[in-house]
Amino acid sequence: EPEVTQTPSHQVTQMGQEVILRCVPISNHLYFYWYRQILGQKVEFLVSFYNNEISEKSEIFDDQFSVERPDGSNFTLKIRSTKLEDSAMYFCASSESSGSAYNEQFFGPGTRLTVL
Amino acid sequence: AQKITQTQPGMFVQEKEAVTLDCTYDTSDQSYGLFWYKQPSSGEMIFLIYQGSYDEQNATEGRYSLNFQKARKSANLVISASQLGDSAMYFCAMSSRRDDKIIFGKGTRLHILP
């Protein structure tokens, strides 16, 4: 069964460093997402991406964040200068379609980011 | 704005009993979808069940069923014959026709007791 994969599973970084979180969405999916879950809290939407453009972003997704689809398979989230409060689990998701109420998004296993 | 409310932060249930996890939602959209996800201690998000706002019948997937009461804006998850492996965090979530994103509730941590 196709699945979304994410690397690395755990990333530890120093405050102020740049990190890139990588995701490989399901191959025939066209819509890609990043979500964040701070430990013990709910999952929060960060950004959605379609046709090489951001389609929607939350207020969390400020200038320190960027997304890219550098090739036909990878989807990346970059945090330019990490802060302590960026420590969280980051989930990538993909879906086949959008614009409907049934928008099943398949989630990856997550990358746990720890900022020291 | 859309909102999901899960009022049970934690629940303890005896193995083999049925359990109901509560979820209420708020939206002004007419067309929307409701989801339940399971998050075990390993951290991944596992899709369990989906209910569309226009679906007349309650969704079922194996031991999971969704008790959808549209007028009350509730979408409770029912797990029949609970198992030890059901111990996890459970999130109720929704999407709408207008939005790409999925909005999550704060979750309910379910503990199944042997």
Side-chain angles (χ1 to χ4, degrees):
Chain A
E1 188 174 326
E3 58 182 16
V4 177
T5 59
Q6 289 185 243
T7 54
S9 56
H10 192 185
Q11 171 113 31
V12 181
T13 189
Q14 294 288 328
M15 189 170 60
Q17 295 295 305
E18 174 184 285
V19 294
I20 297 177
L21 309 183
R22 290 184 166 79
C23 168
V24 179
I26 294 174
S27 61
N28 65 332
H29 285 185
L30 301 175
Y31 298 83
F32 314 115
Y33 311 84
W34 284 101
Y35 291 83
R36 177 182 85 173
Q37 184 184 28
I38 293 171
L39 186 64
Q41 298 187 23
K42 66 180 179 181
V43 178
E44 300 172 291
F45 168 78
L46 290 178
V47 66
S48 58
F49 190 87
Y50 169 69
N51 201 24
N52 283 319
E53 285 184 350
I54 290 174
S55 25
E56 189 176 353
K57 59 182 181 179
S58 72
E59 58 198 24
I60 303 168
F61 194 88
D62 62 22
D63 292 344
Q64 294 299 312
F65 291 89
S66 62
V67 289
E68 195 179 26
R69 188 154 162 82
D71 52 43
S73 58
N74 288 284
F75 178 51
T76 61
L77 173 70
K78 183 194 288 187
I79 309 175
R80 205 154 295 138
S81 176
T82 49
K83 305 181 204 124
L84 294 176
E85 54 264 37
D86 293 327
S87 294
M89 180 78 102
Y90 289 81
F91 290 103
C92 173
S94 70
S95 67
E96 205 171 1
S97 62
S98 181
S100 72
Y102 185 67
N103 180 22
E104 184 183 348
Q105 295 178 17
F106 292 80
F107 282 76
T111 292
R112 184 168 297 285
L113 176 65
T114 303
V115 182
L116 302 175
Chain B
Q2 297 173 340
K3 188 178 177 184
I4 293 281
T5 302
Q6 294 180 255
T7 55
Q8 306 154 308
M11 286 186 73
F12 289 83
V13 172
Q14 210 67 42
E15 190 182 7
K16 297 180 186 169
E17 288 184 354
V19 56
T20 298
L21 305 181
D22 294 340
C23 172
T24 57
Y25 61 92
D26 193 19
T27 181
S28 56
D29 293 325
Q30 297 302 310
S31 178
Y32 52 89
L34 296 154
F35 304 82
W36 277 91
Y37 287 86
K38 174 183 178 182
Q39 186 178 42
S41 56
S42 49
E44 72 266 33
M45 296 289 284
I46 302 168
F47 167 77
L48 294 178
I49 197 167
Y50 166 83
Q51 178 84 43
S53 58
Y54 291 115
D55 293 341
E56 293 186 355
Q57 291 197 324
N58 287 341
T60 60
E61 288 285 347
R63 292 187 300 113
Y64 304 108
S65 60
L66 199 151
N67 184 0
F68 181 47
Q69 298 187 40
K70 194 170 181 177
R72 297 179 61 186
K73 292 191 174 178
S74 77
N76 297 341
L77 177 70
V78 180
I79 306 174
S80 62
S82 56
Q83 302 170 355
L84 295 177
D86 295 332
S87 293
M89 187 72 123
Y90 288 80
F91 291 98
C92 181
M94 74 180 298
S95 65
S96 79
R97 194 180 177 118
R98 283 188 302 155
D99 269 333
D100 279 349
K101 61 182 178 284
I102 291 180
I103 303 293
F104 287 83
K106 291 186 176 180
T108 295
R109 184 165 296 282
L110 178 63
H111 304 269
I112 305 298
L113 304 171

